[in-house]
């Protein structure tokens, strides 16, 4: 009927959107086999399987992509190199499974490693910052908080200040 004809494009669009945002090949195959262009049924299936641990091969592929990032090959040298590199690192990190994403400190370390690999001017400075172990001997650190008693929140470990790093090297 007319109602079914009107909802068919929406079901197809919903299905396409779901499949586009799934990285697991097995789930994509199952959806294609059992719920092809049936957006609502595909969504119900995805909700029923819940949070699954990503496959090791997928995590290794993301780790390889993360390690492969370089200024010369991926960003290029310009006045906006560090800003572009920061955006690229954030995008690649967002593509990782949520349970395996890097935190701000790990993104900052990768940014410093890329700068160290490609810059003679900032190489020594970035290497010393990579090797710093905390706020007492590194410049780009946010101090943690001590664990409190009563209504004080739990301890927060010190972490690298990614925003200051990007601003400093830009």
């Amino acid at each position: 009927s007319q109602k079914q004809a009107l909802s068919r494009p929406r079901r197809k669009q919903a299905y396409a959107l779901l499949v586009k945002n799934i990285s697991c090949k097995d789930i994509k195959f199952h959806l294609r086999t059992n719920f092809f262009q049936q957006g609502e049924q595909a969504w119900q299936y995805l909700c029923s399987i819940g949070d699954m641990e990503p496959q090791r091969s997928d995590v290794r592929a993301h780790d390889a992509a993360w390690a492969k990032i370089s200024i010369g090959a991926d960003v290029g040298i310009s006045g906006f190199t560090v800003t572009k590199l920061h955006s690229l690192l954030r995008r690649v990190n967002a593509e990782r499974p949520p349970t395996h994403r890097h935190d701000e400190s790990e993104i900052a370390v990768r940014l410093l490693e890329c700068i160290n690999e490609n810059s003679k001017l900032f190489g020594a400075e970035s290497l010393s910052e990579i090797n710093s172990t905390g706020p007492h001997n590194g410049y780009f650190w946010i101090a943690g908080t001590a664990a409190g008693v009563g209504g004080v929140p739990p301890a927060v470990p010190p972490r690298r200040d990614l925003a200051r790093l990007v601003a400093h090297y830009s």
Side-chain angles (χ1 to χ4, degrees), residues 93-128:
N93 190 45
E95 292 171 356
R96 298 175 66 87
T99 56
H100 293 275
R101 289 189 181 143
H102 298 295
D103 64 10
E104 293 283 313
S105 287
E106 292 167 324
I107 295 171
V109 168
R110 187 65 191 127
L111 182 97
L112 288 166
E113 288 170 347
C114 289
I115 291 170
N116 183 44
E117 292 167 3
N118 290 284
S119 174
K120 292 180 182 179
L121 180 63
F122 293 116
E125 180 184 357
S126 62
L127 185 60
S128 72

Side-chain angles (χ1 to χ4, degrees), residues 39-167:
E40 186 175 354
Q41 293 171 348
W43 176 251
Q44 289 171 353
Y45 168 74
L46 290 173
C47 290
S48 71
I49 62 172
D51 293 330
M52 292 178 49
E53 188 64 25
Q55 295 181 345
R56 286 186 190 180
S57 60
D58 291 340
V59 174
R60 280 194 298 269
H62 287 294
D63 288 342
W66 181 258
K68 187 181 161 198
I69 294 172
S70 89
I71 289 175
D74 299 317
V75 178
I77 307 297
S78 73
F80 302 103
T81 296
V82 176
T83 306
K84 288 179 181 178
L85 177 62
H86 176 238
S87 296
L88 175 65
L89 290 171
R90 285 212 179 269
R91 183 181 55 79
V92 170
N93 190 45
E95 292 171 356
R96 298 175 66 87
T99 56
H100 293 275
R101 289 189 181 143
H102 298 295
D103 64 10
E104 293 283 313
S105 287
E106 292 167 324
I107 295 171
V109 168
R110 187 65 191 127
L111 182 97
L112 288 166
E113 288 170 347
C114 289
I115 291 170
N116 183 44
E117 292 167 3
N118 290 284
S119 174
K120 292 180 182 179
L121 180 63
F122 293 116
E125 180 184 357
S126 62
L127 185 60
S128 72
E129 186 62 36
I130 290 169
N131 293 329
S132 70
T133 56
H136 56 281
N137 46 335
Y139 177 69
F140 298 104
W141 283 82
I142 299 172
T145 58
V149 183
V152 179
V156 176
R159 63 190 190 283
R160 294 183 192 271
D161 190 347
L162 182 59
R164 275 182 50 201
L165 275 171
V166 171

Side-chain angles (χ1 to χ4, degrees), residues 2-79:
Q2 186 179 8
K3 184 178 178 183
Q4 288 177 337
L6 292 173
S7 66
R8 189 175 306 123
R10 287 193 301 262
R11 287 194 313 259
K12 288 181 178 182
Q13 290 172 346
Y15 174 82
L17 185 64
L18 284 174
V19 171
K20 181 175 83 172
N21 289 296
I22 295 173
S23 61
C24 179
K25 294 174 184 133
D26 295 334
I27 293 175
K28 279 186 174 181
F29 178 77
H30 185 78
L31 290 176
R32 187 173 49 245
T33 305
N34 299 304
F35 305 107
F36 185 68
Q37 293 188 347
Q38 299 299 318
E40 186 175 354
Q41 293 171 348
W43 176 251
Q44 289 171 353
Y45 168 74
L46 290 173
C47 290
S48 71
I49 62 172
D51 293 330
M52 292 178 49
E53 188 64 25
Q55 295 181 345
R56 286 186 190 180
S57 60
D58 291 340
V59 174
R60 280 194 298 269
H62 287 294
D63 288 342
W66 181 258
K68 187 181 161 198
I69 294 172
S70 89
I71 289 175
D74 299 317
V75 178
I77 307 297
S78 73

